[in-house]
Amino acid sequence: MKIAVSNPSVAPHVRQTVTAYYEAGHLQQFYTTLFEHPENYFSSQLKQIKAIRENIGRRSFHEIPIEKFCSRPLPELVRTISSKKLGPRITDRIWEWAELSFDTWVSRKVSHELDAVHTYEHAALATLSEAKAKNVFCIYEQPSVHHTFFSSLVSQQLSLYPELLNSE
């Protein structure tokens, strides 16, 4: 089975998922933005810049070979710098642009040879649409949802499946 994972972040839950796919022999590619790896020349150079050294360090991911990474770091680097130098309104717009352009970039990488794509949160719609068009199985992970959406969904499901209601 060949699985591609895409997430602009390398948060711990993402690293664990990607590492599990790799250890099971299923990871085709991990698409991300800015990451630190011992063999990543770009991140080693960025670590020389004091203002963003800590941010690069939080993006450390050494558990899989560098060949499994496919990255698009520049929009995330722009967002990182904007968060330190510009106001929140501009930074939010840059974040939105970075997330959506990342998703569009990944969607162009989806091929028929994949068995599945595993995407996350806001950077997923174009990738999932492309995967669906190519009959590639889709996994969409959203670790946290807005409480009103969750409450509405639970209410809807309980009305459809009242046997799930816990009477205790």
Side-chain angles (χ1 to χ4, degrees):
M1 177 171 271
K2 295 178 184 177
I3 301 172
V5 178
S6 75
N7 193 315
S9 167
V10 291
H13 69 284
V14 176
R15 287 195 309 266
Q16 291 167 354
T17 298
V18 171
T19 301
Y21 284 139
Y22 174 72
E23 289 174 353
H26 299 305
L27 182 66
Q28 178 77 11
Q29 202 76 53
F30 174 45
Y31 297 98
T32 193
T33 59
L34 193 56
F35 70 98
E36 191 279 324
H37 188 281
E39 297 177 53
N40 184 345
Y41 178 77
F42 187 66
S43 69
S44 69
Q45 296 305 302
L46 288 174
K47 285 195 303 187
Q48 305 305 313
I49 303 170
K50 185 180 179 184
I52 58 174
R53 185 177 300 137
E54 182 181 329
N55 190 283
I56 301 298
R58 286 192 306 248
R59 294 169 169 275
S60 179
F61 193 176
H62 304 175
E63 291 79 9
I64 65 172
I66 192 79
E67 297 80 26
K68 293 294 183 179
F69 287 90
C70 189
S71 70
R72 185 174 183 259
L74 292 179
E76 180 60 18
L77 188 57
V78 169
R79 189 211 54 82
T80 299
I81 293 168
S82 77
S83 71
K84 296 183 182 309
K85 301 292 182 189
L86 303 174
R89 187 169 283 166
I90 293 173
T91 299
D92 282 349
R93 287 190 174 129
I94 291 171
W95 175 83
E96 181 82 9
W97 162 77
E99 292 277 301
L100 297 178
S101 64
F102 173 81
D103 181 30
T104 300
W105 173 72
V106 174
S107 74
R108 293 185 198 123
K109 309 284 186 190
V110 175
S111 71
H112 290 288
E113 70 182 49
L114 287 173
D115 296 302
V117 294
H118 188 149
T119 61
Y120 294 80
E121 300 187 38
H122 193 64
L125 183 58
T127 301
L128 294 172
S129 296
E130 187 63 29
K132 185 176 178 183
K134 292 181 176 171
N135 281 336
V136 174
F137 186 77
C138 298
I139 302 166
Y140 174 65
E141 186 172 341
Q142 186 162 352
S144 61
V145 296
H146 193 274
H147 66 90
T148 57
F149 175 79
F150 179 77
S151 297
S152 172
L153 182 64
V154 168
S155 178
Q156 177 190 32
Q157 292 301 303
L158 288 175
S159 68
L160 289 172
Y161 307 101
E163 65 275 13
L164 295 176
L165 186 59
N166 187 348
S167 60
E168 293 178 23

